[in-house]
Every structure is written in structure tokens, then in C-alpha cells.
Amino acid sequence: MTMRRPRGRRKLPPARLRAVVDPYGGAHRKVRALLLAALASMGSAPCPLCGKAMTVAMPLHLHHSDPAAALRGLPGDQLTHARCNVADGGRLGASITNARATATTAKAVTKPRW
Ligand SMILES: [Zn+2]
């Protein structure tokens, strides 16, 4: 006797039929689309993080110029190179981690190096 998997009653549709999960939601996508359209019309614009030119052909991210906005779940407000944004996000994450560590380890007052 072999167990047969029941057909036709799957909890999730196969991956190819599912919509891509967007962790940022519609607002983020809308702002990004607007900024990409603006960049496309300009041709190129300097990246606010590294100052080098950005074009729509490059991998770009929507960046939060205000880290507090990111923590509140607001969409980003400017385009940056994907690499620049990820590097900057790493710094933000590190600063949050460091702030938590400082808060929990009593009065360990250490100045950040940057
Ligand atoms: Zn950049």
C-alpha cells in the first residue's frame, strides 16, 4: 500500500503562479517608479551616497535619506546605486545594533568611529 498525495488541494499555488512577494508594499513601489521615470527623463543623476552617475540601466535601490523614516516603515525617498544602499543599510544596522548594545551594557559609553 502506498500513500498517494491528494491532488488538487494544495495550500499554496506553485511558485510560478504566485505573485512576487513585495516586502515594501505599494507605496515603496510607487515612489521608486516615479523616481525611476524622472531619472530616465534626465538620462543620469549623481548618486546621493557616492556621487557617481546613476542610470536606469544600473541596479538601483530606493534609499532612505532619513534612517528614522526607514524604521517607521516609510518608503525611501531617493534612488541610489544598489551597492551604495546596501552598504549604507549595513551602517544603519550596525548603528542600531551598537545603540542597543550600549543601552543594555549599562554605561559603556563608546563613540562610534565614523
Ligand atoms: Zn552610489
Side-chain angles (χ1 to χ4, degrees):
M1 182 182 124
T2 52
M3 288 289 284
R4 281 189 62 118
R5 203 137 54 97
R7 297 180 136 262
R9 285 289 291 176
R10 301 173 62 163
K11 273 185 181 161
L12 282 172
R16 69 195 154 83
L17 297 180
R18 258 178 280 154
V20 177
V21 176
D22 180 5
Y24 289 102
H28 179 100
R29 240 185 349 235
K30 213 179 275 181
V31 174
R32 189 171 188 277
L34 268 170
L35 291 175
L36 278 174
L39 178 62
S41 72
M42 287 186 287
S44 79
C47 168
L49 294 180
C50 73
K52 289 177 193 160
M54 299 183 295
T55 71
V56 289
M58 297 172 174
L60 301 174
H61 280 179
L62 193 54
H63 171 70
H64 293 86
S65 61
D66 175 12
L71 298 180
R72 289 198 301 270
L74 297 173
D77 55 320
Q78 55 189 196
L79 289 173
T80 66
H81 295 118
R83 286 184 60 172
C84 296
N85 183 49
V86 170
D88 193 70
R91 271 202 297 279
L92 173 63
S95 71
I96 292 168
T97 307
N98 293 341
R100 281 200 193 121
T102 315
T104 50
T105 54
K107 282 163 188 148
V109 182
T110 46
K111 277 193 176 178
R113 278 175 294 146
W114 61 86

